[in-house]
Amino acid sequence: PCGEVVGCGAGVCWRCMNRATREEFKAVKTTKAEFSSLGDGAWWMHLACMAPEDEEAYFCNGDVFTEGEDAAAAAAAESDSDGRVGRQ
């Protein structure tokens, strides 16, 4: 939120994100479709790497998908050009 690069810097490939359970990524589990819909300003980081202000910025729209919604969207998603989730 403040423009400073934070977090561990480790990306997650879409294949791993799609295979992951909700327990592994908690509420930050996303799909390529959801991430892409956020446009050029999209960003992602592990929940454990987030500061309170990061959590507030990430969840500001209040959208949290259920496991079934994640699975349906993941089935339709394809890998992006670099195959990783998270932009910095």
Side-chain angles (χ1 to χ4, degrees), residues 14 31-44 80 86-87:
W14 288 114
T31 64
K32 184 179 178 188
E34 177 188 23
F35 188 81
S36 296
S37 74
L38 299 174
D40 290 338
W43 61 277
W44 180 90
D80 66 0
R87 295 182 186 152

Side-chain angles (χ1 to χ4, degrees), residues 5-87:
V5 177
V6 295
C8 65
V12 178
C13 72
W14 288 114
R15 184 176 183 186
C16 293
M17 182 67 77
N18 291 340
R19 290 180 175 180
T21 63
R22 177 65 66 187
E23 291 76 36
E24 292 175 86
F25 287 110
K26 310 284 188 231
V28 296
K29 185 173 190 278
T30 189
T31 64
K32 184 179 178 188
E34 177 188 23
F35 188 81
S36 296
S37 74
L38 299 174
D40 290 338
W43 61 277
W44 180 90
M45 73 168 61
H46 298 102
L47 189 59
C49 296
M50 289 186 187
E53 58 269 18
D54 298 319
E55 283 191 58
E56 184 178 334
Y58 189 84
F59 296 110
C60 68
N61 67 3
D63 290 341
V64 177
F65 292 96
T66 66
E67 191 77 27
E69 289 172 321
D70 282 340
E78 298 175 20
S79 180
D80 66 0
S81 61
D82 70 359
R84 292 177 123 9
V85 178
R87 295 182 186 152

